Coordinates of all heavy atoms in Angstrom, one line a residue:
G1 N 183.5 49.5 100.8 CA 183.9 50.7 101.5 C 183.4 52.0 100.9 O 183.0 52.9 101.6
R2 N 183.5 52.1 99.5 CA 183.0 53.3 98.9 C 181.5 53.4 99.0 O 181.0 54.5 99.2 CB 183.4 53.2 97.4 CG 184.9 53.4 97.1 CD 185.2 53.6 95.7 NE 185.1 52.3 94.9 CZ 186.0 51.4 94.8 NH1 187.2 51.6 95.3 NH2 185.8 50.3 94.1
G3 N 180.8 52.3 99.0 CA 179.4 52.3 99.2 C 179.0 52.8 100.6 O 178.0 53.5 100.8
V4 N 179.7 52.3 101.6 CA 179.4 52.7 103.0 C 179.6 54.2 103.1 O 178.8 54.9 103.8 CB 180.4 52.0 104.0 CG1 180.2 52.6 105.4 CG2 180.0 50.5 104.0
E5 N 180.7 54.8 102.5 CA 180.9 56.2 102.5 C 179.7 57.0 102.0 O 179.3 58.0 102.6 CB 182.2 56.6 101.8 CG 182.5 58.0 101.9 CD 183.8 58.4 101.1 OE1 184.2 57.7 100.2 OE2 184.3 59.5 101.4
C6 N 179.2 56.5 100.9 CA 177.9 57.1 100.3 C 176.8 57.0 101.2 O 176.0 57.9 101.4 CB 177.6 56.5 98.9 SG 178.8 56.8 97.6
A7 N 176.6 55.8 101.8 CA 175.5 55.6 102.7 C 175.5 56.5 104.0 O 174.5 57.0 104.4 CB 175.4 54.1 103.1
I8 N 176.7 56.7 104.5 CA 176.9 57.5 105.7 C 176.5 59.0 105.3 O 175.8 59.6 106.1 CB 178.4 57.5 106.2 CG1 178.7 56.2 106.8 CG2 178.6 58.6 107.2 CD1 180.2 55.9 107.1
A9 N 176.8 59.4 104.1 CA 176.4 60.8 103.7 C 174.9 61.0 103.6 O 174.4 62.1 103.7 CB 177.1 61.1 102.4
K10 N 174.2 59.9 103.4 CA 172.7 60.0 103.2 C 172.0 59.8 104.6 O 170.7 60.0 104.6 CB 172.2 59.0 102.2 CG 172.7 59.2 100.8 CD 172.1 58.3 99.8 CE 172.6 58.6 98.4 NZ 172.2 59.9 97.9
N11 N 172.7 59.6 105.6 CA 172.0 59.4 107.0 C 172.3 60.5 107.8 O 173.5 60.8 108.1 CB 172.5 58.1 107.6 CG 171.8 56.8 107.0 OD1 170.7 56.5 107.4 ND2 172.5 56.2 106.0
P12 N 171.3 61.3 108.3 CA 171.5 62.5 109.0 C 172.2 62.4 110.4 O 172.7 63.4 110.9 CB 170.1 63.1 109.1 CG 169.2 61.9 109.0 CD 169.9 61.0 108.1
D13 N 172.1 61.2 110.9 CA 172.7 61.0 112.3 C 174.0 60.3 112.3 O 174.5 59.8 113.3 CB 171.7 60.2 113.1 CG 171.4 58.8 112.6 OD1 171.6 58.6 111.3 OD2 171.0 57.9 113.3
M14 N 174.7 60.3 111.1 CA 176.0 59.6 110.9 C 177.1 60.5 110.4 O 176.8 61.4 109.6 CB 175.8 58.4 110.0 CG 174.9 57.3 110.5 SD 174.8 55.9 109.3 CE 173.7 54.8 110.2
E15 N 178.3 60.2 110.8 CA 179.4 60.9 110.2 C 180.6 59.9 110.1 O 180.7 59.0 110.9 CB 179.9 62.1 111.1 CG 180.3 61.7 112.5 CD 180.8 62.9 113.3 OE1 181.7 63.6 112.8 OE2 180.3 63.2 114.4
L16 N 181.4 60.1 109.0 CA 182.5 59.3 108.8 C 183.7 59.8 109.7 O 184.0 60.9 109.6 CB 182.9 59.3 107.3 CG 184.1 58.4 106.9 CD1 184.0 57.0 107.3 CD2 184.4 58.6 105.4
G17 N 184.2 58.9 110.5 CA 185.3 59.3 111.4 C 186.7 59.0 110.9 O 187.6 59.7 111.0
A18 N 186.8 57.8 110.1 CA 188.1 57.4 109.6 C 187.9 56.3 108.6 O 186.9 55.5 108.7 CB 189.1 57.0 110.7
V19 N 188.9 56.1 107.7 CA 189.0 55.0 106.8 C 190.3 54.3 107.1 O 191.3 54.9 107.3 CB 188.9 55.4 105.4 CG1 189.1 54.2 104.4 CG2 187.5 56.0 105.1
F20 N 190.2 52.9 107.2 CA 191.4 52.1 107.4 C 191.7 51.2 106.2 O 190.7 50.6 105.7 CB 191.3 51.3 108.7 CG 191.0 52.2 109.9 CD1 189.7 52.4 110.4 CD2 192.0 52.8 110.6 CE1 189.4 53.2 111.4 CE2 191.8 53.6 111.7 CZ 190.5 53.8 112.1
T21 N 192.9 51.0 105.9 CA 193.3 50.2 104.7 C 194.5 49.5 104.9 O 195.4 49.9 105.7 CB 193.4 51.1 103.4 OG1 193.7 50.3 102.3 CG2 194.5 52.1 103.6
R22 N 194.7 48.3 104.3 CA 195.9 47.5 104.3 C 196.8 48.0 103.2 O 198.0 47.6 103.1 CB 195.6 46.0 104.2 CG 195.0 45.5 105.5 CD 194.7 44.0 105.4 NE 193.7 43.7 104.5 CZ 193.1 42.6 104.4 NH1 193.4 41.6 105.2 NH2 192.1 42.4 103.5
R23 N 196.3 48.8 102.3 CA 197.1 49.4 101.2 C 197.9 50.6 101.8 O 197.7 51.0 102.9 CB 196.3 49.8 100.0 CG 195.7 48.6 99.3 CD 194.8 49.0 98.1 NE 193.4 49.4 98.5 CZ 192.6 50.0 97.8 NH1 192.9 50.4 96.6 NH2 191.3 50.3 98.3
D24 N 198.6 51.3 100.9 CA 199.3 52.5 101.3 C 198.2 53.6 101.5 O 197.5 53.9 100.5 CB 200.3 52.9 100.2 CG 200.9 54.3 100.5 OD1 200.7 54.9 101.6 OD2 201.7 54.8 99.6
P25 N 198.0 54.2 102.7 CA 197.0 55.2 102.8 C 197.1 56.3 101.9 O 196.0 56.9 101.5 CB 197.1 55.6 104.3 CG 197.8 54.5 105.0 CD 198.7 53.9 103.9
A26 N 198.3 56.7 101.4 CA 198.5 57.8 100.5 C 197.9 57.5 99.2 O 197.7 58.4 98.4 CB 200.0 58.2 100.4
S27 N 197.7 56.2 98.8 CA 197.2 55.8 97.5 C 195.6 55.9 97.5 O 195.1 55.7 96.4 CB 197.6 54.4 97.2 OG 197.0 53.4 98.0
I28 N 195.0 56.1 98.6 CA 193.5 56.1 98.7 C 193.0 57.5 98.7 O 193.4 58.3 99.6 CB 193.0 55.4 100.0 CG1 193.6 53.9 100.1 CG2 191.5 55.3 100.0 CD1 193.2 53.0 99.0
S29 N 192.1 57.8 97.8 CA 191.4 59.1 97.8 C 189.9 58.9 98.1 O 189.2 58.2 97.3 CB 191.6 59.7 96.4 OG 190.9 61.0 96.3
I30 N 189.4 59.5 99.2 CA 188.0 59.4 99.5 C 187.3 60.6 99.2 O 187.9 61.7 98.9 CB 187.8 59.0 101.0 CG1 188.3 60.1 101.9 CG2 188.6 57.7 101.3 CD1 187.9 59.8 103.4
K31 N 186.0 60.6 99.2 CA 185.1 61.7 98.8 C 184.8 62.7 100.0 O 184.4 63.8 99.7 CB 183.8 61.2 98.2 CG 184.1 60.5 96.9 CD 182.7 60.1 96.3 CE 182.9 59.3 94.9 NZ 183.6 60.1 93.9
T32 N 184.9 62.2 101.2 CA 184.4 63.0 102.4 C 185.5 63.9 102.8 O 186.6 63.5 103.2 CB 184.1 62.1 103.5 OG1 183.1 61.1 103.1 CG2 183.5 62.9 104.7
E33 N 185.3 65.2 102.7 CA 186.3 66.2 103.0 C 186.6 66.2 104.5 O 185.7 66.0 105.4 CB 185.8 67.6 102.6 CG 185.7 67.8 101.1 CD 185.4 69.2 100.8 OE1 185.3 70.1 101.7 OE2 185.2 69.5 99.6
G34 N 187.9 66.3 104.9 CA 188.3 66.5 106.2 C 188.5 65.2 107.0 O 188.8 65.2 108.2
V35 N 188.3 64.0 106.3 CA 188.5 62.7 106.9 C 189.7 62.0 106.4 O 190.0 62.1 105.1 CB 187.2 61.8 106.7 CG1 187.5 60.4 107.2 CG2 186.0 62.5 107.3
K36 N 190.5 61.5 107.3 CA 191.8 60.9 106.9 C 191.7 59.4 106.7 O 190.8 58.7 107.2 CB 192.9 61.2 107.9 CG 193.3 62.6 108.0 CD 194.4 62.8 109.1 CE 195.7 62.1 108.6 NZ 196.8 62.3 109.6
V37 N 192.6 58.9 105.8 CA 192.8 57.5 105.6 C 194.0 57.0 106.4 O 195.1 57.6 106.3 CB 192.9 57.2 104.1 CG1 193.1 55.6 103.9 CG2 191.8 57.7 103.3
Y38 N 193.9 55.9 107.2 CA 194.9 55.4 108.1 C 195.3 54.0 107.7 O 194.5 53.3 107.1 CB 194.5 55.5 109.5 CG 194.1 56.8 110.0 CD1 192.8 57.3 109.9 CD2 195.1 57.6 110.7 CE1 192.5 58.6 110.4 CE2 194.8 58.9 111.2 CZ 193.4 59.3 111.0 OH 193.1 60.6 111.5
S39 N 196.4 53.6 108.1 CA 196.9 52.2 107.9 C 196.1 51.3 108.9 O 195.7 51.7 110.0 CB 198.4 52.0 108.3 OG 198.7 50.7 108.5
Y40 N 195.7 50.1 108.4 CA 195.0 49.2 109.3 C 195.7 49.0 110.6 O 195.1 48.8 111.7 CB 194.8 47.9 108.6 CG 194.1 46.8 109.4 CD1 192.7 46.9 109.5 CD2 194.7 45.8 110.0 CE1 192.0 46.0 110.3 CE2 194.1 44.9 110.8 CZ 192.7 44.9 110.9 OH 192.0 44.0 111.7
N41 N 197.1 49.1 110.6 CA 197.9 48.9 111.8 C 197.6 49.9 112.9 O 198.0 49.8 114.0 CB 199.3 48.8 111.4 CG 199.7 47.7 110.5 OD1 199.1 46.6 110.6 ND2 200.7 47.8 109.6
E42 N 197.0 51.0 112.5 CA 196.7 52.1 113.4 C 195.3 52.0 114.1 O 195.0 52.9 114.9 CB 196.8 53.5 112.7 CG 198.2 53.8 112.1 CD 198.3 55.1 111.4 OE1 198.4 56.1 112.1 OE2 198.2 55.1 110.2
I43 N 194.6 51.0 113.7 CA 193.1 51.0 114.1 C 192.9 50.9 115.6 O 192.0 51.6 116.1 CB 192.4 49.8 113.3 CG1 190.9 50.1 113.3 CG2 192.7 48.5 114.0 CD1 190.2 49.2 112.3
K44 N 193.8 50.2 116.3 CA 193.6 50.1 117.8 C 193.7 51.5 118.5 O 193.2 51.6 119.6 CB 194.6 49.1 118.3 CG 194.4 47.7 117.8 CD 193.0 47.1 118.3 CE 192.8 45.7 117.7 NZ 193.6 44.7 118.4
D45 N 194.4 52.4 117.9 CA 194.6 53.7 118.4 C 193.2 54.5 118.5 O 193.1 55.5 119.2 CB 195.5 54.6 117.6 CG 196.9 54.0 117.6 OD1 197.3 53.2 118.5 OD2 197.7 54.4 116.7
F46 N 192.2 54.0 117.8 CA 190.9 54.7 117.7 C 189.9 54.0 118.7 O 188.7 54.4 118.6 CB 190.4 54.6 116.3 CG 191.1 55.6 115.4 CD1 192.4 55.3 114.8 CD2 190.5 56.8 115.1 CE1 193.0 56.2 114.0 CE2 191.2 57.7 114.2 CZ 192.4 57.4 113.7

């Protein structure tokens, strides 16, 4: 997941929309500013 985040940042036609985790989303800190981490249970909302 961390590698994908880096790969997205290097591709000019891509943007990170959301990160989903089965852990507590509050425990996850990502590098992309302005993007939220959500519970896996919320994924169908997207």
